Amino acid sequence: MPLEPLRFAVLGAVRVFRGDAELELGGPQERAFLALLLVAAGRPVAVSEIVDVLWGAAPPRSAVNVVRRHVGSLRRLLEPGLAARAEGRRLVRDAGGYRLVTDGDSSDLLRFRALREEGRRIADRSPAQALELLDEALSLWRGPLAAGIPAQARAHPAFDAVDRELPAAVRQAAEVALRAGRPDAVLAELRQAAARHPLDEPLQAGLLLALAAAGHRSEALAAYEAVRARLAEELGIDPGGELRDARDTVLHGVRETAAGASGESSGGVSEGAGADGSLAHAPSGGAVSEGAGADGSVAPAPASSAPPSPSVLLPPAQLPHGITAFTGRDAELDEVFALSGADGSGPGTVVISAIGGMAGVGKTTLAVHWAHRVADRFPDGQLYVNLRGFDPSGAVLDPGEAVRGFLGALGVPPERVPHGVDAQAALYRSVLTGRRVLVVLDNARDTEQVRSLLPGSPGCLTIVTSRDELPGLVAAHGAHSLVLRPFDAVQARAFLVRRLGAERVAAEPRAADEISELCAGLPLALACVAARAAGHPHFPLAAVAAELRDAHGSLDAFVRSDASVDVGTVFSWSSRAVSTEAARLFRLLALHPGPDLSLPAAAALAGLPVRRARPLLAELTGLHLVTEHSPGRYAFHDLLRAHAGELVHERHTEADRAAALNRLHHHYLHTAHAADRLLAPNADPLPPPPAPEGVRPEPLADDDRALAWLSAEHAVLLAVVEAAAASGQPVQERLACQLAWSLEPFFDRRGHWHDGLAVQRTALDAARRLADPGLEARGLRGLARVEGRLGLHSRSVPRLERALELFTELGDDTGRAHTHRSLGWECDQRGDLPGALRHNRFALGLFRTLGDRAAQASVLNSVGWYHAQLGEYRRALTHCFEALTMLQELGDRYGQAATWDSIAYAHHHLGRHPHALLGYRNALALLRDLGVPYVEADILVRVGDTHLATGDHDGARTAWRQALVLLRGLNHPDAERVEALLDARDGHAGAV
């Protein structure tokens, strides 16, 4: 019986598999020998080189004999049954050394190189496909190269050479991601590589460009400043041309690609004070008052109606991709171009156009095409949002969510967003004052939904699409109304010619006309039929028309009143043109409650592995039944979603539908829970129930991956919480609670407190319906925390007190401890420092009893910080050094940074200024690796204070100027405080 094939891994731990079974490789020397052969990648390795790797400068006399024994052992491992002293086929003698025979199917390193080369080869003509290849290549790295072999062996130049291939591959992938319009696709890998290679200027330049293109402009500027400072400190040089050019691109808005169409992906929400919940500070300094994302971050600054400075912001570019095969609508285009005028707007007016018409008639296509044609007339940006006004799931986008997305895209930090839709809309209008911005409000339900999103000053153009003719918008706001009709026979024929070619249509004109008639002139239906016909170029159009004529569908809600044809027939016919599995997936997708979904979510719905779901989605997109509106994100047209919804209720039992939704909800819960553990390792989440069969949570390697996934799924997760809570099924209501609580650290880091408020209210209502005191206590605490962030302390404190009562009654000491921390944060906010210390001491005692070292370490720093705030500096140092030791053992870099800050603060006030500067330096080194610009700026202010206390006025100015650069990059209001410090020292404001 032939042996199963071998697979070798060196991009991470050194491993060998035969089929699915891992082979035992022996001790560290044997692993180092195999690792050297693998990184040689088919090159013969001399015996002297092997000896050098295994023993370094002092090999034993028996070294060559030991190498031969290793050779024999490895040969017998790879080829069982091999005769003694036989060479075999795998490990052969070559050029006086040894060569391991591998190829791209058996070696992860060779596979990595082959994927990189293929990605390079096709990058110019197909960047999206190249990006997939490069992403697969990067996924082959499972850790440090040859992890686990002795350090002396690992230091050999052969390993260093392969090590350098990873950052080069990350740079390559980042460049391709920009070309593909997916700047965030490899952002996590780019951040990690930049942290490991802080002086690699091309890599750092790639990080800046990717951050800016993905909407994280403030972080990009902070990253530049951190690299500049490090280059100056460690090498005594200024940034080179490539890095400076990248900085200039960020500053002046020269972008490689538009970010995605959603407010989150392209909005660039600044991470202001306390937005990074896992390393947060009390308002005046260094305590992490509740661990990661709990209550350790700064309360939001009072919202200001003054717009932030736009000087360092890239203009948003959120328009979806236009359709290259756009055809027809010449008269309508003439009309709208006349409306927008030669300069993009009427003189001194706010121009609003309302495009109305039935579903599937092409309103969005026309609006996006028009917007792209005039986008260059609006240099301050283009905003886009799908309001989901007629979504069959009923998930209409709340105007507040939409306006907050726009504010983020325009660079307003979350802590400056006021509470309440009216106040948010007023700030939005203020930000747009004096700017020329194009706003596309797609799929509006009614005038009321768009009212908050209308600019209030001249220079902007707003395009609104809706099935409703929006008479209120016309009457109250002077909107120009344009109602689209289905294509007439001439337009429909032109549409088919554009999609199928003039020759094919001219050969069968009657069949083409019949197809147009059967599609009722609707562009969406015509696109589905044309995709089917284009996929079978040898099918006569008459056969296509006959198939369509014989098909039956039912989509009564969308039947044209003046047509005898049911458009649902077209969709029913199209869905029957795909495989049985793809048709099942099409039906099940209608159950998804969100605006779009990813491939893994689709796989969970269907209960399939991702590798099986991928080709099924490709079938559906090929026939225009589903659209891939951005790479890896899939959506329905409302008309098709309604049709799929009818089919799923006709052909699937209630139990089938419930099982599919249960798999979907568990997919999101289990992945969000994994993200929660990465972002908030000190929190106390409820473990999710076991995942049903067919559910595979998405792998999240680190907190960067977690944040990227949560950002991409933001709107979906909100919809899933609402849908599960509204299901009326206790199991799903409990799941809604757990999902809501898993999102706490994400909302806190990103400053999405308004979304957090809605989600936590939903969770608390569900917990109360379940009549479960433990869930109610968690719900009270979760809602109180976000209310506290929004300054609603009259609500948050009573909720926390009630939560503490419930946890006490239940004997839940973990719940009590975390609630005491939240109450301590509330005391801090109102200036009650003794109260804050008292609550944190309670929490510390409980955590010690529970044996929770991670939570103990975090709260020890908080106790130390509050002692320092109360002037008890020596007691503060005792607690903080105990915390630091534990945090170092736990590997918690966020906690270490916060604790070094607390230690430095105490030393400063004891007059030990050199010790203080050393502590601050340690904190800053950690923060720069972690990328937390606000907290870095906060500490730099205190560094300046310490320099000033020593009489070093130049050192103080330098630190404050560095802080000011970071705060200006974040558009943070604390910049004014630092400018005042510099003013007092220099005699002039804002010198940088």
Side-chain angles (χ1 to χ4, degrees):
M1 181 177 177
L3 293 171
E4 291 188 84
L6 290 167
R7 290 182 292 115
F8 298 90
V10 72
L11 305 181
V14 183
R15 305 171 77 183
V16 181
F17 297 86
R18 190 184 306 282
D20 293 328
E22 184 171 0
L23 304 184
E24 176 56 53
L25 297 181
Q29 261 201 353
E30 287 92 336
R31 289 176 181 273
F33 173 45
L34 176 58
L36 179 62
L37 294 169
L38 288 171
V39 297
R43 170 182 65 81
V45 183
V47 172
S48 59
E49 187 177 356
I50 297 170
V51 170
D52 186 41
V53 166
L54 298 186
W55 289 283
R61 292 181 181 179
S62 59
V64 173
N65 288 332
V66 174
V67 169
R68 288 175 182 151
R69 285 202 299 274
H70 289 333
V71 169
S73 298
L74 183 55
R75 281 174 171 166
R76 289 188 293 276
L77 177 70
L78 301 181
E79 300 181 72
L82 190 67
R85 301 183 183 277
E87 185 172 280
R89 296 176 296 105
R90 276 290 183 182
L91 183 54
V92 299
R93 288 283 298 179
D94 192 349
Y98 295 95
R99 176 169 59 87
L100 184 65
V101 179
T102 58
D103 56 26
D105 292 328
S106 60
S107 163
D108 61 351
L109 174 58
L110 292 177
R111 175 67 176 157
F112 167 74
R113 289 172 174 171
L115 287 166
R116 279 194 68 193
E117 176 56 27
E118 180 63 13
R120 183 201 61 75
R121 190 179 65 79
I122 68 171
D124 288 336
R125 70 172 186 271
S126 182
Q129 188 178 351
L131 181 58
E132 288 186 14
L133 294 172
L134 292 168
D135 188 51
E136 183 181 348
L138 294 175
S139 71
L140 295 172
W141 286 77
R142 295 158 291 98
L145 179 71
I149 70 172
Q152 145 200 310
R154 183 61 182 73
H156 189 273
F159 294 101
D160 288 339
V162 176
D163 249 342
R164 289 194 293 272
E165 294 184 42
L166 178 57
V170 172
R171 287 200 304 271
Q172 179 185 0
E175 291 168 5
V176 172
L178 287 173
R179 275 190 256 169
R182 293 186 58 195
D184 56 344
V186 292
L187 198 49
E189 292 88 347
L190 197 53
R191 281 186 169 121
Q192 290 173 356
R196 286 194 295 267
H197 305 274
L199 301 179
D200 183 333
E201 292 192 52
L203 185 65
Q204 301 293 339
L207 176 61
L208 261 63
L209 293 173
L211 286 169
H216 307 299
R217 302 166 194 111
S218 303
E219 187 181 347
L221 290 166
Y224 173 81
E225 180 59 28
V227 177
R228 185 205 61 74
R230 180 163 285 178
L231 287 169
E233 182 177 338
E234 297 187 21
L235 303 179
I237 61 173
D238 292 326
E242 185 174 357
L243 191 54
R244 291 198 307 272
D245 288 346
R247 189 272 315 271
D248 290 344
T249 296
V250 176
L251 283 173
H252 302 304
V254 182
R255 39 193 317 129
E256 292 289 332
T257 179
S262 72
E264 173 61 29
S265 63
S266 58
V269 178
S270 300
E271 296 177 31
D276 192 320
S278 55
L279 177 61
H281 287 62
S284 53
V288 176
S289 48
E290 262 213 284
D295 272 279
S297 54
V298 173
S304 167
S305 60
S309 168
S311 59
V312 296
L313 295 177
L314 282 170
Q318 297 184 337
L319 295 179
H321 297 299
I323 295 178
T324 56
F326 184 88
T327 188
R329 305 299 187 198
D330 293 335
E332 290 88 346
L333 284 172
D334 289 343
E335 186 175 342
V336 296
F337 287 146
L339 173 69
S340 56
D343 65 349
S345 70
T349 62
V350 181
V351 180
I352 304 169
S353 176
I355 301 176
M358 64 179 294
V361 81
K363 300 181 296 295
T364 297
T365 302
L366 175 63
V368 171
H369 182 74
W370 174 22
H372 277 291
R373 291 279 297 273
V374 300
D376 61 334
R377 303 177 189 174
F378 298 91
D380 296 316
Q382 304 89 45
L383 299 170
Y384 171 90
V385 65
N386 179 3
L387 295 168
R388 308 198 299 271
F390 296 89
D391 192 302
S393 71
V396 178
L397 188 67
D398 179 73
E401 186 179 342
V403 76
R404 290 193 295 274
F406 280 175
L407 286 170
L410 293 164
V412 178
E415 69 274 8
R416 296 193 67 179
V417 176
H419 189 55
V421 176
D422 290 342
Q424 292 162 7
L427 177 58
Y428 167 67
R429 290 190 294 272
S430 298
V431 171
L432 290 183
T433 299
R435 299 198 199 184
R436 296 178 60 78
V437 175
L438 172 60
V439 183
V440 180
L441 308 176
D442 194 17
N443 198 12
R445 186 166 191 85
D446 50 33
T447 301
E448 195 57 39
Q449 193 185 18
V450 303
R451 198 184 305 278
S452 302
L453 301 168
L454 300 176
S457 57
C460 296
L461 169 64
T462 305
I463 304 172
V464 186
T465 74
S466 178
R467 291 182 202 168
D468 186 82
E469 293 187 14
L470 303 176
L473 199 63
V474 175
H477 297 276
H480 174 87
S481 180
L482 173 67
V483 178
L484 294 190
R485 307 295 179 194
F487 283 157
D488 59 26
V490 174
Q491 291 172 315
R493 173 82 69 89
F495 184 97
L496 290 175
V497 166
R498 186 70 182 265
R499 301 295 178 104
L500 302 176
E503 194 174 318
R504 191 175 180 190
V505 173
E508 298 183 79
R510 295 182 64 181
D513 290 343
E514 184 177 5
I515 289 172
S516 300
E517 183 181 350
L518 290 168
C519 289
L522 281 185
L524 177 62
L526 284 165
C528 289
V529 176
R532 164 82 163 143
H536 299 279
H538 302 299
F539 279 18
L541 293 184
V544 175
E547 279 187 17
L548 184 56
R549 185 171 55 248
D550 294 339
H552 298 284
S554 66
L555 205 58
D556 297 337
F558 295 101
V559 175
R560 288 179 57 209
S561 59
D562 59 341
S564 60
V565 178
D566 183 352
V567 177
T569 298
V570 177
F571 304 140
S572 181
W573 168 79
S574 295
S575 63
R576 289 206 298 271
V578 298
S579 66
T580 302
E581 276 197 311
R584 173 178 175 267
L585 178 59
F586 174 70
R587 297 190 298 269
L588 292 176
L589 291 178
L591 300 173
H592 191 280
D596 64 0
L597 79 166
S598 64
L599 170 61
L605 254 178
L608 296 172
V610 168
R611 67 177 183 278
R612 285 180 60 194
R614 181 180 284 109
L616 304 183
L617 276 173
E619 277 191 72
L620 298 176
T621 55
L623 282 177
H624 289 229
L625 293 170
V626 171
T627 58
E628 190 176 5
H629 68 88
S630 65
R633 306 294 303 181
Y634 300 86
F636 275 124
H637 187 283
D638 292 350
L639 207 56
L640 286 159
R641 185 185 186 110
H643 179 60
E646 288 184 352
L647 293 178
V648 79
H649 282 83
E650 287 173 7
R651 304 189 188 181
H652 294 264
T653 66
E654 184 176 351
D656 286 342
R657 298 194 301 271
L661 276 174
N662 190 49
R663 288 192 298 268
L664 180 74
H665 293 169
H666 274 273
H667 163 78
Y668 287 119
L669 173 60
H670 281 263
T671 312
H673 177 76
D676 180 23
R677 302 310 297 133
L678 288 165
L679 298 180
N682 301 328
D684 61 332
L686 278 176
E693 186 177 355
V695 172
R696 297 163 184 83
E698 296 191 44
L700 304 174
D702 51 37
D703 57 354
D704 280 336
R705 286 277 191 183
L707 284 170
W709 181 82
L710 289 162
S711 297
E713 301 291 351
H714 182 173
V716 172
L717 292 165
L718 298 178
V720 170
V721 171
E722 292 296 328
S727 68
Q729 301 173 25
V731 171
Q732 296 302 314
E733 289 183 295
R734 183 181 181 88
L735 186 149
C737 294
Q738 290 185 264
L739 179 54
W741 299 329
S742 293
L743 300 178
E744 275 193 81
F746 168 64
F747 288 145
D748 207 44
R749 277 203 184 195
R750 289 292 190 239
H752 297 310
W753 297 304
H754 297 89
D755 289 338
L757 188 69
V759 163
Q760 295 301 334
R761 281 175 177 160
T762 298
L764 179 57
D765 290 344
R768 284 172 167 162
R769 286 195 299 273
L770 292 167
D772 184 322
L775 295 183
E776 182 179 357
R778 286 176 176 270
L780 286 164
R781 189 179 64 197
L783 181 55
R785 283 171 171 172
V786 73
E787 285 175 335
R789 294 293 184 272
L790 291 167
L792 306 175
H793 301 292
S794 61
R795 302 181 194 174
S796 59
V797 172
R799 289 194 207 279
L800 287 171
E801 290 170 346
R802 176 57 183 152
L804 185 60
E805 290 175 5
L806 287 171
F807 282 128
T808 303
E809 291 168 7
L810 293 165
D812 184 345
D813 287 346
T814 301
R816 286 175 61 204
H818 283 281
T819 308
H820 272 299
R821 299 205 72 186
S822 294
L823 284 164
W825 184 84
E826 290 285 351
C827 288
D828 187 322
Q829 296 306 292
R830 62 176 181 264
D832 179 9
L833 295 176
L837 177 59
R838 183 175 63 256
H839 280 295
N840 276 276
R841 278 176 169 166
F842 275 129
L844 179 59
L846 289 166
F847 286 136
R848 279 178 167 155
T849 301
L850 291 164
D852 187 337
R853 283 179 57 78
Q856 278 182 64
S858 177
V859 77
L860 271 167
N861 177 48
S862 296
V863 169
W865 171 253
Y866 288 119
H867 276 301
Q869 291 287 288
L870 292 167
E872 300 167 348
Y873 303 115
R874 287 181 172 79
R875 296 184 70 180
L877 288 172
T878 299
H879 286 91
C880 290
F881 277 117
E882 184 182 355
L884 184 63
T885 300
M886 296 172 72
L887 290 162
Q888 289 170 338
E889 291 171 358
L890 293 163
D892 184 347
R893 294 186 297 157
Y894 286 95
Q896 290 173 52
T899 305
W900 275 119
D901 182 25
S902 300
I903 289 168
Y905 180 86
H907 278 310
H908 171 91
H909 287 276
L910 287 168
R912 302 170 180 170
H913 299 120
H915 293 76
L917 290 173
L918 177 61
Y920 286 136
R921 192 175 300 124
N922 291 336
L924 289 170
L926 288 161
L927 289 170
R928 285 164 180 161
D929 281 343
L930 294 165
V932 192
Y934 171 73
V935 185
E936 182 183 341
D938 197 36
I939 291 177
L940 281 167
V941 173
R942 286 192 284 283
V943 171
D945 294 342
T946 302
H947 280 301
L948 187 65
T950 66
D952 181 2
H953 296 268
D954 289 339
R957 290 188 189 94
T958 299
W960 290 336
R961 286 169 182 160
Q962 290 173 352
L964 184 58
V965 169
L966 292 171
L967 292 168
R968 282 178 174 170
L970 293 166
N971 281 307
H972 198 281
D974 282 3
E976 297 174 4
R977 176 170 61 92
V978 179
E979 286 174 344
L981 289 171
L982 284 164
D983 229 0
R985 293 294 104 198
D986 300 296
H988 65 276
V992 180

